[in-house]
Amino acid sequence: MIEDVNDVLDYASDTEWARFLPVASPYTVRDAEEFVTRQILKNWDDRPRFAIEFDGVVVGSVKLTIEKALSIASLRYSIARPCWNRGLMTEAVTAVVGWGFEELGLLKVCSRMDVENVGSWRVMEKIGMTREGTLRSQGVNSGLPQECHVYGVSRSEWKAPNG
């Protein structure tokens, strides 16, 4: 919602939070306004995105990008640095992946992240995703070639973690 702009600005202005993400630096009010507006206007059928709220403040998000023809979704997420290592991201990702399998009938959910983003791939492992490989020079982040680990879980493999 548009009133979430200041919350997004607060966490997205943190350069350590942004380290592995393709976001503007410095992150401005306009960047936050444009981000929130894009999320409101995106087609929910193809790209559902959920805000993560903690103590009444938006601290991150989880989104799926759905390839309907294949019944596969790509998972992306981020959370404010003060919320790292508290289990919030694991809880949010578990809920969204489970929702994708149960409500959308997805066959598989996959995700990729920078090989140096240890916290992110630990979340994938905690929820039962398997590392399927590493992509070399798959993209560019901050002007540097990026290597990414790729994780996935199929509906038949999915067992939501017990918190």
Side-chain angles (χ1 to χ4, degrees):
M1 297 174 65
I2 203 68
E3 57 267 15
D4 298 332
V5 167
N6 288 332
D7 294 347
V8 171
L9 179 63
D10 284 346
Y11 71 75
S13 297
D14 180 349
T15 56
E16 185 60 21
W17 171 87
R19 182 173 163 208
F20 299 110
L21 299 170
V23 296
S25 183
Y27 199 84
T28 66
V29 171
R30 183 177 181 147
D31 295 319
E33 290 169 343
E34 290 174 357
F35 171 80
V36 171
T37 300
R38 279 193 312 273
Q39 303 325 301
I40 292 168
L41 296 176
K42 279 188 179 173
N43 183 349
W44 179 260
D45 293 338
D46 301 279
R47 296 175 184 254
R49 178 178 292 249
F50 299 85
I52 301 169
E53 190 175 294
F54 184 69
D55 287 339
V57 176
V58 173
V59 294
S61 65
V62 181
K63 85 170 181 180
L64 296 173
T65 301
I66 301 168
E67 294 181 48
K68 287 186 179 183
L70 301 174
S71 294
I72 293 175
S74 176
L75 172 71
R76 298 285 184 264
Y77 54 85
S78 69
I79 195 162
R81 188 162 43 134
C83 296
W84 291 0
N85 301 310
R86 298 175 77 177
L88 298 173
M89 193 79 266
T90 300
E91 181 181 346
V93 170
T94 297
V96 172
V97 170
W99 176 81
F101 287 133
E102 294 166 20
E103 298 297 320
L104 302 179
L106 295 173
L107 298 176
K108 183 175 183 178
V109 175
C110 35
S111 188
R112 70 179 195 193
M113 71 290 303
D114 191 296
V115 297
E116 294 181 20
N117 191 347
V118 176
S120 190
W121 47 268
R122 282 191 182 145
V123 169
M124 296 292 92
E125 292 169 354
K126 285 179 189 175
I127 70 162
M129 294 180 98
T130 301
R131 186 181 301 174
E132 297 180 343
T134 301
L135 303 173
R136 295 178 296 148
S137 297
Q138 184 61 25
V140 176
N141 192 11
S142 300
L144 300 172
Q146 185 179 35
E147 293 187 353
C148 298
H149 288 318
V150 178
Y151 280 80
V153 63
S154 68
R155 182 178 8 179
S156 63
E157 298 168 327
W158 177 249
K159 293 179 184 118
N162 295 328

